[in-house]
Amino acid sequence: MRPALNGSISLAVSTGAHLDATAIGYERTIMPLIATGGAPVTSIFEVEHDRALKRAEAAIRVFDREARNAGISYATRAVSAVPSEARALLCASARVHDVTIVTQPRSDHDSYDNVMPSEILFRAGGPVLFMPYAFHSPFSAKRIGICWDSSRLAARAVHDAMPLLRKADALTIIMVTGRGTVSPESSCDHLVTHLARLGLAAKVTSVLPVRRSKLQSILSRAMDDSFDLIVMSACSSSWLHGKLLGRMRRDLLRSMTVPTLMSH
């Protein structure tokens, strides 16, 4: 939880935002039961509930200490729930917040925490800020890369990120080419003009992969330009559908090395 903890608190410090932190202790939905002595099944589930709640409370104590030292406005909640209940709770809560901050899923860890970020992304109706699991520095979005393919989802990501774009020192629009036809009215040039009207200067660069994928090209550009943040839609090109879309999103979440704000 450390990347999400550091990222959320530093963002709250820099923006003066209020922060709500929720820790979930997952209860097992299937447990092997052996009838020995006729112990009530309800007591077994009560023990599982208490153990899960203690795990959540332990995580909240770590957050509480850091947030209190930072002097931010915050509230905390520790919850014990089965995964389906946790998903419903987190997604509903995200709908009444400006952004949800999570840690990047880890393929080498068997945890429901690897599933919840994507569930929130597609069900919350708002942006999700993914913090790389190797990221332990304070979050500061001074140099931002905007992935743009002229799609509705890309536009949604830009609008969702606008509070951060307004505070950035440098904006780079990454023109992501695809198979679809790009309307001149939503081209990169028009996006540059729109941002300029808001007092935001941006330069444009293209991603034209030959031997490598668009995802690898985007991540390479992020490293070359030292981005602090990547802004993009839940899929990077409007022509991606079905399994291909899901595969690229999963690959991005596994490969990201830069904090990424995604919208759907």
Side-chain angles (χ1 to χ4, degrees):
M1 67 176 181
R2 178 56 62 176
L5 188 153
N6 288 351
S8 61
I9 291 178
S10 57
L11 179 60
V13 169
S14 64
T15 61
H18 173 84
L19 191 60
D20 287 324
T22 301
I24 301 288
Y26 299 115
E27 299 175 21
R28 288 177 291 179
T29 56
I30 300 176
M31 291 181 288
L33 303 179
I34 301 176
T36 55
V41 173
T42 54
S43 65
I44 298 175
F45 281 96
E46 288 173 356
V47 170
E48 176 66 13
H49 170 83
D50 291 342
R51 288 175 176 172
L53 185 58
K54 287 180 180 179
R55 291 194 296 270
E57 290 172 341
I60 284 297
R61 285 195 293 272
V62 176
F63 175 89
D64 182 78
R65 182 177 62 250
E66 300 285 346
R68 187 170 59 252
N69 290 339
I72 63 172
S73 171
Y74 73 97
T76 61
R77 176 170 53 168
V79 178
S80 172
V82 298
S84 60
E85 293 172 346
R87 177 183 62 195
L89 184 153
L90 292 173
C91 292
S93 179
R95 291 169 190 150
V96 291
H97 288 81
D98 295 314
V99 63
T100 303
I101 303 171
V102 299
T103 298
Q104 169 192 18
R106 298 189 64 167
S107 58
D108 59 337
H109 282 61
D110 183 16
S111 169
Y112 288 114
D113 285 337
N114 287 337
V115 178
M116 289 300 174
S118 294
E119 293 289 336
I120 296 171
L121 177 63
F122 288 103
R123 296 171 183 263
V128 176
L129 176 58
F130 292 87
M131 306 300 298
Y133 55 76
F135 188 87
H136 298 292
S137 304
F139 174 67
S140 178
K142 296 301 182 182
R143 301 178 63 85
I144 300 179
I146 303 169
C147 295
W148 185 255
D149 63 358
S150 300
S151 67
R152 178 192 68 81
L153 292 176
R156 172 66 184 272
V158 170
H159 293 308
D160 284 345
M162 193 57 68
L164 296 175
L165 300 183
R166 292 181 183 275
K167 292 179 175 291
D169 292 337
L171 301 178
T172 299
I173 300 172
I174 307 170
M175 184 170 61
V176 183
T177 59
R179 297 174 185 172
T181 301
V182 176
S183 170
E185 300 305 318
S186 59
S187 66
C188 279
D189 290 340
H190 280 260
L191 178 59
V192 170
T193 300
H194 169 67
L195 293 174
R197 293 193 185 105
L198 300 175
L200 305 176
K203 67 177 184 178
V204 177
T205 185
S206 298
V207 170
L208 296 171
V210 177
R211 295 184 179 179
R212 56 185 179 178
S213 69
K214 290 181 175 65
L215 172 59
Q216 291 172 322
S217 297
I218 291 170
L219 294 177
S220 177
R221 176 63 62 184
M223 295 298 293
D224 291 343
D225 289 4
S226 301
F227 291 154
D228 300 310
L229 176 70
I230 295 175
V231 173
M232 66 185 303
S233 63
C235 57
S236 67
S237 292
S238 58
W239 55 269
L240 288 172
H241 296 287
K243 293 183 180 179
L244 182 59
L245 185 154
R247 190 181 309 118
M248 184 167 183
R249 174 173 52 81
R250 289 193 300 270
D251 289 346
L252 171 68
L253 295 183
R254 291 171 180 170
S255 305
M256 67 169 60
T257 55
V258 177
T260 301
L261 186 77
M262 299 184 73
S263 295
H264 179 68

Short mmCIF file of all heavy atoms in Angstrom, two decimals, residues 102-149:
data_model
loop_
_atom_site.label_atom_id
_atom_site.label_comp_id
_atom_site.label_asym_id
_atom_site.label_seq_id
_atom_site.Cartn_x
_atom_site.Cartn_y
_atom_site.Cartn_z
N VAL A 102 -4.83 4.36 -6.33
CA VAL A 102 -4.57 2.94 -6.03
C VAL A 102 -3.13 2.60 -6.39
O VAL A 102 -2.46 3.35 -7.11
CB VAL A 102 -5.53 2.02 -6.83
CG1 VAL A 102 -6.98 2.29 -6.47
CG2 VAL A 102 -5.31 2.19 -8.34
N THR A 103 -2.68 1.46 -5.89
CA THR A 103 -1.36 0.95 -6.25
C THR A 103 -1.47 0.04 -7.47
O THR A 103 -2.44 -0.70 -7.60
CB THR A 103 -0.72 0.19 -5.08
OG1 THR A 103 -0.55 1.08 -3.97
CG2 THR A 103 0.64 -0.38 -5.46
N GLN A 104 -0.52 0.13 -8.36
CA GLN A 104 -0.46 -0.72 -9.56
C GLN A 104 -0.59 -2.19 -9.19
O GLN A 104 0.04 -2.67 -8.25
CB GLN A 104 0.88 -0.47 -10.25
CG GLN A 104 1.25 -1.43 -11.35
CD GLN A 104 2.69 -1.29 -11.77
OE1 GLN A 104 3.50 -0.72 -11.05
NE2 GLN A 104 3.03 -1.79 -12.94
N PRO A 105 -1.42 -2.94 -9.92
CA PRO A 105 -1.52 -4.39 -9.67
C PRO A 105 -0.17 -5.08 -9.89
O PRO A 105 0.62 -4.67 -10.73
CB PRO A 105 -2.54 -4.85 -10.72
CG PRO A 105 -3.33 -3.64 -11.05
CD PRO A 105 -2.36 -2.50 -10.95
N ARG A 106 0.06 -6.14 -9.13
CA ARG A 106 1.30 -6.91 -9.25
C ARG A 106 0.97 -8.34 -9.65
O ARG A 106 0.27 -9.04 -8.91
CB ARG A 106 2.08 -6.90 -7.94
CG ARG A 106 2.52 -5.52 -7.50
CD ARG A 106 3.47 -5.57 -6.33
NE ARG A 106 4.71 -6.25 -6.66
CZ ARG A 106 5.79 -6.22 -5.89
NH1 ARG A 106 5.79 -5.55 -4.76
NH2 ARG A 106 6.88 -6.86 -6.25
N SER A 107 1.50 -8.75 -10.78
CA SER A 107 1.21 -10.09 -11.28
C SER A 107 1.83 -11.18 -10.43
O SER A 107 1.41 -12.34 -10.47
CB SER A 107 1.69 -10.22 -12.73
OG SER A 107 3.09 -9.96 -12.82
N ASP A 108 2.87 -10.83 -9.64
CA ASP A 108 3.54 -11.83 -8.83
C ASP A 108 2.91 -11.97 -7.44
O ASP A 108 3.42 -12.68 -6.59
CB ASP A 108 5.02 -11.50 -8.69
CG ASP A 108 5.26 -10.13 -8.07
OD1 ASP A 108 4.35 -9.28 -8.14
OD2 ASP A 108 6.37 -9.91 -7.53
N HIS A 109 1.80 -11.25 -7.20
CA HIS A 109 1.10 -11.36 -5.93
C HIS A 109 -0.32 -11.86 -6.18
O HIS A 109 -1.04 -11.33 -7.03
CB HIS A 109 1.05 -9.99 -5.23
CG HIS A 109 2.31 -9.61 -4.55
ND1 HIS A 109 3.49 -9.45 -5.23
CD2 HIS A 109 2.59 -9.34 -3.24
CE1 HIS A 109 4.45 -9.11 -4.37
NE2 HIS A 109 3.93 -9.04 -3.16
N ASP A 110 -0.73 -12.85 -5.42
CA ASP A 110 -2.08 -13.39 -5.53
C ASP A 110 -2.97 -12.66 -4.53
O ASP A 110 -3.04 -13.03 -3.36
CB ASP A 110 -2.07 -14.89 -5.26
CG ASP A 110 -3.46 -15.50 -5.43
OD1 ASP A 110 -4.33 -14.83 -6.03
OD2 ASP A 110 -3.67 -16.63 -4.96
N SER A 111 -3.62 -11.59 -4.98
CA SER A 111 -4.41 -10.76 -4.08
C SER A 111 -5.57 -10.14 -4.85
O SER A 111 -5.46 -9.82 -6.03
CB SER A 111 -3.54 -9.66 -3.48
OG SER A 111 -4.35 -8.72 -2.80
N TYR A 112 -6.69 -9.94 -4.16
CA TYR A 112 -7.81 -9.24 -4.77
C TYR A 112 -7.46 -7.78 -5.06
O TYR A 112 -8.12 -7.12 -5.84
CB TYR A 112 -9.03 -9.30 -3.85
CG TYR A 112 -9.68 -10.67 -3.79
CD1 TYR A 112 -9.67 -11.40 -2.61
CD2 TYR A 112 -10.30 -11.22 -4.91
CE1 TYR A 112 -10.24 -12.66 -2.55
CE2 TYR A 112 -10.87 -12.48 -4.86
CZ TYR A 112 -10.84 -13.20 -3.68
OH TYR A 112 -11.41 -14.43 -3.62
N ASP A 113 -6.40 -7.28 -4.41
CA ASP A 113 -5.96 -5.92 -4.70
C ASP A 113 -5.55 -5.75 -6.15
O ASP A 113 -5.51 -4.62 -6.67
CB ASP A 113 -4.78 -5.54 -3.80
CG ASP A 113 -5.22 -5.27 -2.37
OD1 ASP A 113 -6.40 -4.94 -2.18
OD2 ASP A 113 -4.39 -5.39 -1.46
N ASN A 114 -5.20 -6.83 -6.83
CA ASN A 114 -4.85 -6.76 -8.25
C ASN A 114 -6.09 -6.61 -9.13
O ASN A 114 -5.97 -6.22 -10.30
CB ASN A 114 -4.09 -8.02 -8.67
CG ASN A 114 -2.67 -8.05 -8.14
OD1 ASN A 114 -2.11 -7.00 -7.83
ND2 ASN A 114 -2.10 -9.22 -8.01
N VAL A 115 -7.25 -6.92 -8.59
CA VAL A 115 -8.49 -6.87 -9.36
C VAL A 115 -9.25 -5.57 -9.12
O VAL A 115 -9.84 -4.99 -10.04
CB VAL A 115 -9.39 -8.08 -9.00
CG1 VAL A 115 -10.72 -8.01 -9.76
CG2 VAL A 115 -8.66 -9.38 -9.30
N MET A 116 -9.23 -5.08 -7.90
CA MET A 116 -10.05 -3.94 -7.52
C MET A 116 -9.78 -2.67 -8.33
O MET A 116 -10.72 -1.97 -8.70
CB MET A 116 -9.86 -3.64 -6.03
CG MET A 116 -10.49 -4.67 -5.12
SD MET A 116 -12.29 -4.80 -5.38
CE MET A 116 -12.65 -6.20 -4.29
N PRO A 117 -8.52 -2.30 -8.63
CA PRO A 117 -8.30 -1.06 -9.39
C PRO A 117 -9.03 -1.03 -10.73
O PRO A 117 -9.63 -0.01 -11.08
CB PRO A 117 -6.77 -1.05 -9.58
CG PRO A 117 -6.25 -1.79 -8.40
CD PRO A 117 -7.23 -2.89 -8.18
N SER A 118 -9.00 -2.13 -11.47
CA SER A 118 -9.71 -2.17 -12.76
C SER A 118 -11.21 -2.11 -12.57
O SER A 118 -11.93 -1.49 -13.35
CB SER A 118 -9.33 -3.43 -13.53
OG SER A 118 -7.97 -3.41 -13.91
N GLU A 119 -11.72 -2.76 -11.53
CA GLU A 119 -13.14 -2.71 -11.24
C GLU A 119 -13.58 -1.27 -10.97
O GLU A 119 -14.61 -0.81 -11.46
CB GLU A 119 -13.48 -3.60 -10.04
CG GLU A 119 -13.29 -5.08 -10.28
CD GLU A 119 -14.34 -5.64 -11.22
OE1 GLU A 119 -15.43 -5.06 -11.32
OE2 GLU A 119 -14.06 -6.67 -11.87
N ILE A 120 -12.79 -0.56 -10.18
CA ILE A 120 -13.09 0.84 -9.88
C ILE A 120 -13.05 1.68 -11.15
O ILE A 120 -13.91 2.53 -11.40
CB ILE A 120 -12.12 1.39 -8.83
CG1 ILE A 120 -12.28 0.65 -7.50
CG2 ILE A 120 -12.33 2.89 -8.61
CD1 ILE A 120 -11.22 0.98 -6.48
N LEU A 121 -12.03 1.44 -11.98
CA LEU A 121 -11.86 2.21 -13.21
C LEU A 121 -13.09 2.14 -14.10
O LEU A 121 -13.53 3.15 -14.66
CB LEU A 121 -10.63 1.70 -13.96
CG LEU A 121 -10.33 2.34 -15.32
CD1 LEU A 121 -10.03 3.83 -15.16
CD2 LEU A 121 -9.15 1.64 -15.99
N PHE A 122 -13.67 0.95 -14.24
CA PHE A 122 -14.78 0.77 -15.17
C PHE A 122 -16.15 0.98 -14.54
O PHE A 122 -17.15 1.07 -15.25
CB PHE A 122 -14.71 -0.63 -15.79
CG PHE A 122 -13.60 -0.76 -16.79
CD1 PHE A 122 -12.44 -1.43 -16.46
CD2 PHE A 122 -13.71 -0.19 -18.04
CE1 PHE A 122 -11.39 -1.53 -17.37
CE2 PHE A 122 -12.67 -0.28 -18.95
CZ PHE A 122 -11.51 -0.95 -18.62
N ARG A 123 -16.22 1.09 -13.21
CA ARG A 123 -17.52 1.21 -12.56
C ARG A 123 -17.72 2.53 -11.83
O ARG A 123 -18.85 2.87 -11.47
CB ARG A 123 -17.70 0.06 -11.55
CG ARG A 123 -17.74 -1.33 -12.16
CD ARG A 123 -17.70 -2.39 -11.08
NE ARG A 123 -17.68 -3.74 -11.63
CZ ARG A 123 -18.76 -4.50 -11.78
NH1 ARG A 123 -19.95 -4.05 -11.42
NH2 ARG A 123 -18.65 -5.71 -12.28
N ALA A 124 -16.65 3.30 -11.61
CA ALA A 124 -16.76 4.47 -10.74
C ALA A 124 -17.30 5.71 -11.43
O ALA A 124 -17.90 6.57 -10.79
CB ALA A 124 -15.39 4.77 -10.12
N GLY A 125 -17.06 5.84 -12.73
CA GLY A 125 -17.48 7.06 -13.42
C GLY A 125 -16.52 8.22 -13.22
O GLY A 125 -16.88 9.37 -13.48
N GLY A 126 -15.32 7.94 -12.74
CA GLY A 126 -14.33 8.99 -12.52
C GLY A 126 -12.94 8.44 -12.74
O GLY A 126 -12.74 7.24 -12.96
N PRO A 127 -11.94 9.31 -12.69
CA PRO A 127 -10.56 8.88 -12.97
C PRO A 127 -9.94 8.08 -11.83
O PRO A 127 -10.32 8.23 -10.66
CB PRO A 127 -9.82 10.20 -13.17
CG PRO A 127 -10.58 11.17 -12.29
CD PRO A 127 -12.02 10.75 -12.39
N VAL A 128 -8.98 7.23 -12.20
CA VAL A 128 -8.22 6.45 -11.23
C VAL A 128 -6.74 6.74 -11.46
O VAL A 128 -6.25 6.64 -12.58
CB VAL A 128 -8.49 4.94 -11.38
CG1 VAL A 128 -7.61 4.15 -10.42
CG2 VAL A 128 -9.97 4.63 -11.12
N LEU A 129 -6.05 7.11 -10.40
CA LEU A 129 -4.62 7.38 -10.47
C LEU A 129 -3.88 6.14 -9.98
O LEU A 129 -3.97 5.77 -8.81
CB LEU A 129 -4.26 8.59 -9.62
CG LEU A 129 -2.78 8.96 -9.52
CD1 LEU A 129 -2.17 9.22 -10.90
CD2 LEU A 129 -2.59 10.18 -8.61
N PHE A 130 -3.16 5.49 -10.90
CA PHE A 130 -2.39 4.29 -10.59
C PHE A 130 -0.96 4.69 -10.22
O PHE A 130 -0.27 5.32 -11.02
CB PHE A 130 -2.35 3.34 -11.78
CG PHE A 130 -3.67 2.71 -12.11
CD1 PHE A 130 -4.57 3.35 -12.94
CD2 PHE A 130 -4.03 1.48 -11.59
CE1 PHE A 130 -5.80 2.78 -13.25
CE2 PHE A 130 -5.25 0.89 -11.89
CZ PHE A 130 -6.14 1.55 -12.73
N MET A 131 -0.53 4.31 -9.02
CA MET A 131 0.83 4.57 -8.59
C MET A 131 1.66 3.30 -8.78
O MET A 131 1.28 2.23 -8.26
CB MET A 131 0.86 4.98 -7.11
CG MET A 131 -0.05 6.16 -6.77
SD MET A 131 0.36 7.67 -7.68
CE MET A 131 2.03 7.96 -7.10
N PRO A 132 2.76 3.35 -9.54
CA PRO A 132 3.59 2.15 -9.72
C PRO A 132 4.03 1.55 -8.39
O PRO A 132 4.33 2.29 -7.45
CB PRO A 132 4.80 2.68 -10.51
CG PRO A 132 4.29 3.90 -11.19
CD PRO A 132 3.30 4.51 -10.24
N TYR A 133 4.07 0.21 -8.30
CA TYR A 133 4.39 -0.42 -7.02
C TYR A 133 5.82 -0.15 -6.58
O TYR A 133 6.16 -0.31 -5.41
CB TYR A 133 4.09 -1.92 -7.04
CG TYR A 133 4.75 -2.71 -8.14
CD1 TYR A 133 6.10 -3.03 -8.08
CD2 TYR A 133 4.01 -3.16 -9.22
CE1 TYR A 133 6.70 -3.77 -9.08
CE2 TYR A 133 4.61 -3.91 -10.22
CZ TYR A 133 5.95 -4.21 -10.14
OH TYR A 133 6.55 -4.94 -11.14
N ALA A 134 6.68 0.27 -7.53
CA ALA A 134 8.06 0.61 -7.16
C ALA A 134 8.23 2.10 -6.88
O ALA A 134 9.34 2.58 -6.67
CB ALA A 134 9.02 0.19 -8.28
N PHE A 135 7.12 2.84 -6.88
CA PHE A 135 7.17 4.30 -6.70
C PHE A 135 7.02 4.63 -5.23
O PHE A 135 5.99 4.35 -4.61
CB PHE A 135 6.04 4.94 -7.51
CG PHE A 135 6.09 6.45 -7.56
CD1 PHE A 135 6.83 7.10 -8.53
CD2 PHE A 135 5.38 7.20 -6.64
CE1 PHE A 135 6.87 8.49 -8.58
CE2 PHE A 135 5.41 8.59 -6.68
CZ PHE A 135 6.16 9.23 -7.66
N HIS A 136 8.03 5.25 -4.65
CA HIS A 136 7.98 5.56 -3.22
C HIS A 136 8.26 7.04 -2.94
O HIS A 136 8.42 7.43 -1.78
CB HIS A 136 9.00 4.70 -2.46
CG HIS A 136 8.72 3.24 -2.55
ND1 HIS A 136 7.64 2.64 -1.97
CD2 HIS A 136 9.39 2.24 -3.20
CE1 HIS A 136 7.63 1.35 -2.23
NE2 HIS A 136 8.69 1.08 -2.98
N SER A 137 8.32 7.86 -3.98
CA SER A 137 8.60 9.28 -3.81
C SER A 137 7.30 10.06 -3.66
O SER A 137 6.22 9.57 -4.02
CB SER A 137 9.38 9.81 -5.02
OG SER A 137 10.56 9.08 -5.24
N PRO A 138 7.36 11.29 -3.17
CA PRO A 138 6.16 12.13 -3.18
C PRO A 138 5.70 12.37 -4.62
O PRO A 138 6.52 12.50 -5.53
CB PRO A 138 6.65 13.43 -2.53
CG PRO A 138 7.83 13.04 -1.70
CD PRO A 138 8.49 11.94 -2.47
N PHE A 139 4.42 12.42 -4.83
CA PHE A 139 3.87 12.60 -6.17
C PHE A 139 3.84 14.09 -6.52
O PHE A 139 3.30 14.90 -5.78
CB PHE A 139 2.46 12.02 -6.23
CG PHE A 139 1.75 12.30 -7.53
CD1 PHE A 139 2.20 11.72 -8.71
CD2 PHE A 139 0.65 13.14 -7.57
CE1 PHE A 139 1.55 11.96 -9.91
CE2 PHE A 139 -0.01 13.38 -8.77
CZ PHE A 139 0.44 12.80 -9.93
N SER A 140 4.41 14.43 -7.67
CA SER A 140 4.42 15.81 -8.15
C SER A 140 4.33 15.79 -9.67
O SER A 140 5.25 15.35 -10.35
CB SER A 140 5.71 16.52 -7.71
OG SER A 140 5.76 17.84 -8.21
N ALA A 141 3.21 16.23 -10.21
CA ALA A 141 2.97 16.15 -11.66
C ALA A 141 3.36 17.45 -12.36
O ALA A 141 2.52 18.25 -12.76
CB ALA A 141 1.50 15.83 -11.92
N LYS A 142 4.66 17.66 -12.51
CA LYS A 142 5.15 18.87 -13.17
C LYS A 142 5.29 18.67 -14.68
O LYS A 142 5.10 19.60 -15.46
CB LYS A 142 6.50 19.28 -12.58
CG LYS A 142 6.42 19.67 -11.11
CD LYS A 142 5.47 20.83 -10.89
CE LYS A 142 5.43 21.26 -9.43
NZ LYS A 142 4.46 22.37 -9.22
N ARG A 143 5.64 17.47 -15.10
CA ARG A 143 5.79 17.15 -16.53
C ARG A 143 4.79 16.04 -16.87
O ARG A 143 4.91 14.92 -16.37
CB ARG A 143 7.22 16.72 -16.85
CG ARG A 143 8.28 17.77 -16.51
CD ARG A 143 9.68 17.25 -16.80
NE ARG A 143 9.84 16.98 -18.22
CZ ARG A 143 10.18 17.90 -19.13
NH1 ARG A 143 10.39 19.15 -18.75
NH2 ARG A 143 10.31 17.57 -20.39
N ILE A 144 3.81 16.39 -17.71
CA ILE A 144 2.70 15.46 -17.97
C ILE A 144 2.63 15.11 -19.45
O ILE A 144 2.71 15.99 -20.31
CB ILE A 144 1.35 16.08 -17.53
CG1 ILE A 144 1.38 16.39 -16.03
CG2 ILE A 144 0.20 15.13 -17.85
CD1 ILE A 144 0.10 17.04 -15.51
N GLY A 145 2.48 13.82 -19.72
CA GLY A 145 2.26 13.35 -21.08
C GLY A 145 0.79 12.98 -21.26
O GLY A 145 0.23 12.25 -20.44
N ILE A 146 0.16 13.48 -22.33
CA ILE A 146 -1.25 13.23 -22.61
C ILE A 146 -1.36 12.33 -23.84
O ILE A 146 -0.98 12.73 -24.94
CB ILE A 146 -2.01 14.54 -22.87
CG1 ILE A 146 -1.86 15.50 -21.68
CG2 ILE A 146 -3.49 14.26 -23.16
CD1 ILE A 146 -2.37 16.90 -21.98
N CYS A 147 -1.85 11.11 -23.67
CA CYS A 147 -2.05 10.22 -24.81
C CYS A 147 -3.35 10.62 -25.53
O CYS A 147 -4.42 10.62 -24.91
CB CYS A 147 -2.13 8.77 -24.35
SG CYS A 147 -0.61 8.16 -23.61
N TRP A 148 -3.24 10.91 -26.81
CA TRP A 148 -4.39 11.45 -27.55
C TRP A 148 -4.60 10.71 -28.86
O TRP A 148 -3.71 10.63 -29.70
CB TRP A 148 -4.18 12.94 -27.84
CG TRP A 148 -5.35 13.60 -28.49
CD1 TRP A 148 -5.46 13.96 -29.80
CD2 TRP A 148 -6.59 13.96 -27.87
NE1 TRP A 148 -6.68 14.54 -30.04
CE2 TRP A 148 -7.41 14.55 -28.87
CE3 TRP A 148 -7.09 13.84 -26.58
CZ2 TRP A 148 -8.69 15.01 -28.61
CZ3 TRP A 148 -8.37 14.31 -26.31
CH2 TRP A 148 -9.15 14.89 -27.32
N ASP A 149 -5.80 10.13 -29.01
CA ASP A 149 -6.16 9.47 -30.27
C ASP A 149 -7.48 10.01 -30.82
O ASP A 149 -8.11 9.38 -31.66
CB ASP A 149 -6.23 7.96 -30.09
CG ASP A 149 -7.32 7.54 -29.10
OD1 ASP A 149 -8.00 8.42 -28.54
OD2 ASP A 149 -7.51 6.33 -28.90
#
